[in-house]
Amino acid sequence: MAAVVVGVARHEMNPRGPTTDREVKAAGNVFGNYFQVSTYGESHGGGVGCVISGCPPRIPLTEADLQVDLDRRRPGQSRITTPRKETDTCKIMSGTYEGLTTGTPILVSVPNTDQRGGDYSEMAKAYRPSHADATYDFKYGVRAVQGGGRSSARETIGRVAAGALAKKILKLKSGVEILAFVSKVHQVVLPEDAVDYETVTMEQIESNIVRCPNPEYAEKMIAAIDKVRVRGDSIGGVVTCIARNVPRGLGSPVFDKLEAEFAKAMLSLPASKGFEIGSGFAGTDLTGSEHNDEFYMDEAGNVRTRTNRSGGVQKKQNTVSREHQDVELIARGRHDPCVVPRAVPMVESMAALVLMDQLMAHIAQCEMFPLNPDLQEKVGSASSVSELASNLS
């Protein structure tokens, strides 16, 4: 028989409850509840990465599985991305054994190898407009100056690595496929009928440096980026994400609706300023009868809907210094003239993390006991289960 002794410090024996003078809760660095991801690192620190908790065991996993998406995210890919040269080569430090996940935390690490902290010496004294410099100072009273520190897009390396694993599991379990592409760059808008959402492929998306699956509009987008790039300016755009074969019933009412989870995930990405699902804001231009997303039975006897309607400037600027003086700032360093193409794998990853987390929650709650066969379907197909079994053999 074992005895467990718990020691309690005197200052905690307080009739009003325990004090928290020694307790620090670092918030905002963890995403998910079941498939949980913590990211770490700064832009010009020793490295960046993530810790993945809750991953199911016995999933085949190597660095190569993660490297594909990390290569799509990395800087220095083309003339329309930041010239920073990083290989972003990942290393799995824990959570696997002989090529399989063990169910324990998975640590993925990526070193920073092309730091140029001196490029940011002016930013130690003055705040870059439309960046997080001032925000971090106002909140913490200190910040990592070089490259924006924690607010840099290099933080997304951890998300993309975890998202690559989530995409693999989603594919194995239920055949889910997640694709994203650039649908707008500044004023160049890809028409909806220029892409078939049902058949568009990763090969079409990756066929050009802007990641637009339509060659004609891809060239127009690249030209728009080149035009501002040579002036040292920048522009934004829109990424469209498609998730196919998503199991029915994911998400929970009322505060944890699937679209609410997607909104939080996407708006947490660097430089994101808006989120739409289905028809988005365009739906407000329609009447209720026009916007109605009616059901029908497809040839396989499945219930379907007919539509999916339900579904920083790098030049001299005026700013303020840390000493509260009006100053002019020329933001140096290496930056993307348009970050949208590199955001494509980031968006895919956040979508995958949401779906993976919600899938685990759904299975835990709704498949613990026998299903109602008239209304419910078991998540996962025989083909995906057999595919996973063959990978494990």
Side-chain angles (χ1 to χ4, degrees):
M1 184 174 182
V4 179
V5 179
V6 178
V8 180
R10 277 193 305 171
H11 75 277
E12 292 181 331
M13 301 300 292
N14 187 316
R16 293 175 296 179
T19 62
T20 58
D21 57 328
R22 297 183 185 177
E23 182 179 8
V24 176
K25 293 183 177 180
N29 300 303
V30 182
F31 183 85
N33 297 301
Y34 304 91
F35 190 87
Q36 196 171 69
V37 180
S38 304
T39 69
Y40 66 85
E42 291 84 26
S43 178
H44 289 258
V48 292
C50 66
V51 178
I52 306 166
S53 300
C55 175
R58 304 182 304 281
I59 303 297
L61 180 65
T62 65
E63 281 93 353
D65 294 319
L66 312 181
Q67 197 62 53
V68 173
D69 278 350
L70 289 176
D71 288 343
R72 296 171 65 215
R73 193 225 70 93
R74 68 176 176 83
Q77 298 179 46
S78 69
R79 69 179 187 272
I80 64 171
T81 64
T82 171
R84 179 170 176 170
K85 297 296 182 183
E86 296 276 4
T87 62
D88 287 351
T89 303
C90 70
K91 182 69 174 177
I92 298 176
M93 309 296 289
S94 68
T96 64
Y97 180 72
E98 294 184 344
L100 297 178
T101 60
T102 61
T104 58
I106 300 169
L107 171 62
V108 182
S109 177
V110 173
N112 291 330
T113 60
D114 188 22
Q115 303 102 318
R116 295 185 189 174
D119 289 351
Y120 297 89
S121 57
E122 294 181 52
M123 272 66 87
K125 303 176 182 178
Y127 300 125
R128 291 173 295 175
S130 299
H131 286 69
D133 302 343
T135 304
Y136 272 66
D137 256 2
F138 296 161
K139 180 172 178 64
Y140 299 110
V142 64
R143 74 180 194 274
V145 173
Q146 292 84 0
R150 182 76 175 141
S151 65
S152 166
R154 282 196 70 72
E155 176 273 330
T156 63
I157 284 177
R159 306 179 190 221
V160 171
L165 173 56
K167 284 195 286 186
K168 179 169 187 173
I169 300 173
L170 288 165
K171 181 73 171 179
L172 287 171
K173 177 62 179 175
S174 48
V176 172
E177 184 180 17
I178 300 173
L179 297 173
F181 58 88
V182 176
S183 56
K184 180 182 179 182
V185 168
H186 198 43
Q187 297 177 349
V188 180
V189 182
L190 179 69
E192 281 203 21
D193 58 5
V195 177
D196 187 339
Y197 288 6
E198 297 292 331
T199 62
V200 64
T201 65
M202 180 68 72
E203 289 72 24
Q204 291 173 316
I205 294 168
E206 294 293 320
S207 66
N208 57 77
I209 59 177
V210 78
R211 293 196 169 103
C212 172
N214 182 284
E216 176 186 353
Y217 280 87
E219 289 302 316
K220 294 179 180 179
M221 293 176 181
I222 294 170
I225 297 172
D226 280 336
K227 185 176 180 180
V228 299
R229 176 179 62 87
V230 297
R231 302 201 311 257
D233 211 334
S234 62
I235 49 178
V238 174
V239 173
T240 295
C241 186
I242 303 168
R244 299 170 179 154
N245 304 319
V246 176
R248 297 184 300 186
L250 300 192
S252 300
V254 289
F255 299 112
D256 299 327
K257 297 175 183 176
L258 188 60
E259 59 195 48
E261 296 298 312
F262 278 136
K264 177 180 179 179
M266 299 308 170
L267 289 173
S268 74
L269 286 167
S272 62
K273 294 300 177 187
F275 170 77
E276 293 183 336
I277 191 165
S279 60
F281 291 108
T284 62
D285 295 331
L286 305 175
T287 64
S289 58
E290 292 170 328
H291 193 264
N292 191 37
D293 204 5
E294 65 181 36
F295 293 106
Y296 76 100
M297 301 299 295
D298 67 12
E299 295 177 356
N302 298 312
V303 179
R304 303 289 298 272
T305 57
R306 296 195 182 278
T307 69
N308 191 37
R309 296 188 179 121
S310 299
V313 178
Q314 303 308 319
K315 60 184 180 180
K316 183 179 289 188
Q317 304 170 81
N318 294 321
T319 185
V320 175
S321 71
R322 297 185 79 183
E323 289 72 33
H324 298 180
Q325 301 295 316
D326 291 325
V327 297
E328 284 188 336
L329 170 70
I330 299 177
R332 306 187 193 280
R334 296 158 294 177
H335 308 277
D336 292 271
C338 181
V339 75
V340 181
R342 290 178 60 213
V344 166
M346 303 177 196
V347 170
E348 291 175 0
S349 296
M350 293 311 297
L353 293 178
V354 169
L355 291 176
M356 185 64 209
D357 198 48
Q358 293 298 320
L359 181 65
M360 294 181 72
H362 177 82
I363 292 173
Q365 180 186 24
C366 299
E367 296 193 6
M368 181 174 285
F369 292 99
L371 304 181
N372 180 341
D374 293 332
L375 298 174
Q376 295 175 287
E377 294 179 355
K378 186 175 180 63
V379 171
S381 64
S383 60
S384 64
V385 172
S386 62
E387 181 184 352
L388 178 57
S390 64
N391 283 329
L392 299 179
S393 61

